[in-house]
């Protein structure tokens, strides 16, 4: 079974802090994705990556950056956390060329 | 651009009732269609998929048929259980980027 893990299930940070969310997958997938999930808005794509050191902006990249130094790991960075970034963050991975994505359990981030 | 529209929730049913969650899409070309399920406190899991017109995806008693003429992919189950209580997302995969486009999700609550 594909396993996607995220570094924390719950995280509380203060406004202005730099926040790192880590995602690791164990199936050698080329594609990795970061989404945020908010009530009534569904899933919105923040960034995605096709390969190591490759990244592309999704629909809502403002206030976020990403890093992919190794194939299995995709990090989401909030350079200066703000309260409007309080949300559920979901990571996913997929085989290159296929649409089927496998999701991690999510990180619920609260910025106070 | 491509989009997915699914029925607003919450949907509240009694155990053993029949379930339909409507999903329609707008897309160019021939997208793949998916239903994902999110149980409380967890990430998304793939429930079923269909990759071409008239395909029927099925899993765990749930079914959905890819209807190109009505651009729909409605989710159905003949007899729901309390354990089916979750949020259900319809998603579309198309184009060269391997991204998924998600609907806003439908919360299903099944009462005993």
């Amino acid at each position: 079974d594909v396993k996607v893990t995220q570094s924390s299930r719950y995280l509380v940070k203060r406004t202005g802090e730099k926040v790192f969310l880590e995602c690791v997958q164990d199936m050698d997938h080329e594609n990795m994705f970061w989404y945020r999930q908010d009530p009534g808005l569904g899933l919105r794509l923040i960034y995605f990556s096709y390969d190591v050191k490759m990244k592309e902006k999704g629909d809502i990249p403002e206030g976020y950056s990403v890093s992919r130094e190794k194939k299995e790991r995709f990090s989401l960075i909030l350079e200066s956390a703000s309260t409007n970034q309080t949300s559920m963050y979901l990571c996913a991975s997929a085989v290159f060329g296929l649409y089927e994505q496998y999701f991690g359990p999510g990180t619920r981030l609260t910025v106070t | 651009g491509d989009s997915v529209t699914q029925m607003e929730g919450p949907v509240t049913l009694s155990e053993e009732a029949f379930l339909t969650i409507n999903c329609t899409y707008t897309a160019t070309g021939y997208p793949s269609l998916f239903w994902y399920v999110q149980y409380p406190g967890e990430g998304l899991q793939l429930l079923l998929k269909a990759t071409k017109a008239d395909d029927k995806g099925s899993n765990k008693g749930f079914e959905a048929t890819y209807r190109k003429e009505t651009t729909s992919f409605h989710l159905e189950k003949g007899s729901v259980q309390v354990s089916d209580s979750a949020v259900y997302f319809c998603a579309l995969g198309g184009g060269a980027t391997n991204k998924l486009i998600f609907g806003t999700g439908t919360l299903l609550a099944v009462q005993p």
Side-chain angles (χ1 to χ4, degrees):
Chain A
D1 278 352
V2 175
K3 190 162 187 184
V4 180
T5 57
Q6 296 183 227
S7 51
S8 305
R9 294 299 299 271
Y10 300 93
L11 208 53
V12 180
K13 295 292 182 181
R14 294 188 182 274
T15 300
E17 279 193 81
K18 191 169 186 175
V19 182
F20 293 86
L21 302 182
E22 301 280 323
C23 175
V24 177
Q25 51 93 4
D26 67 356
M27 283 300 290
D28 203 35
H29 286 173
E30 292 81 9
N31 293 357
M32 296 188 75
F33 306 82
W34 275 107
Y35 297 89
R36 65 176 283 176
Q37 181 182 9
D38 300 289
L41 298 177
L43 273 70
R44 292 181 291 168
L45 182 64
I46 305 172
Y47 268 96
F48 61 103
S49 170
Y50 292 128
D51 204 346
V52 175
K53 298 192 187 295
M54 304 292 287
K55 60 185 179 184
E56 293 207 17
K57 294 179 180 179
D59 301 317
I60 52 163
E62 296 78 19
Y64 303 94
S65 62
V66 289
S67 172
R68 193 165 182 202
E69 297 295 320
K70 294 185 177 182
K71 191 174 185 179
E72 68 271 18
R73 188 179 298 269
F74 192 35
S75 302
L76 180 69
I77 304 156
L78 287 65
E79 295 290 343
S80 178
S82 63
T83 55
N84 63 13
Q85 292 177 310
T86 291
S87 186
M88 170 71 90
Y89 289 88
L90 292 165
C91 175
S93 72
V95 173
F96 184 80
L98 299 181
Y99 296 106
E100 186 172 328
Q101 294 182 16
Y102 297 85
F103 283 81
T107 296
R108 185 165 294 282
L109 173 67
T110 301
V111 182
T112 61
Chain B
D2 295 354
S3 66
V4 174
T5 302
Q6 60 182 106
M7 64 189 287
E8 296 274 335
V11 173
T12 303
L13 295 173
S14 297
E15 209 165 19
E16 300 184 359
F18 184 86
L19 168 71
T20 300
I21 300 178
N22 290 338
C23 173
T24 57
Y25 68 90
T26 301
T28 55
Y30 302 94
S32 296
L33 300 172
F34 302 84
W35 277 101
Y36 279 82
V37 58
Q38 184 179 34
Y39 298 105
E42 298 183 12
L44 276 68
Q45 303 174 22
L46 178 66
L47 181 59
L48 53 84
K49 66 180 180 183
T51 57
K52 61 182 187 294
D54 300 324
D55 267 2
K56 178 185 282 189
S58 61
N59 187 24
K60 300 181 181 179
F62 291 90
E63 294 182 340
T65 301
Y66 187 163
R67 302 280 189 204
K68 189 165 175 61
E69 64 276 14
T70 55
T71 62
S72 65
F73 192 55
H74 304 321
L75 183 68
E76 297 181 336
K77 187 175 186 183
S79 175
V80 294
Q81 306 300 312
V82 172
S83 57
D84 294 326
S85 298
V87 180
Y88 292 82
F89 290 92
C90 186
L92 175 157
T97 59
N98 298 136
K99 293 188 289 185
L100 287 176
I101 297 170
F102 287 88
T104 53
T106 302
L107 174 64
L108 170 65
V110 180
Q111 298 175 338

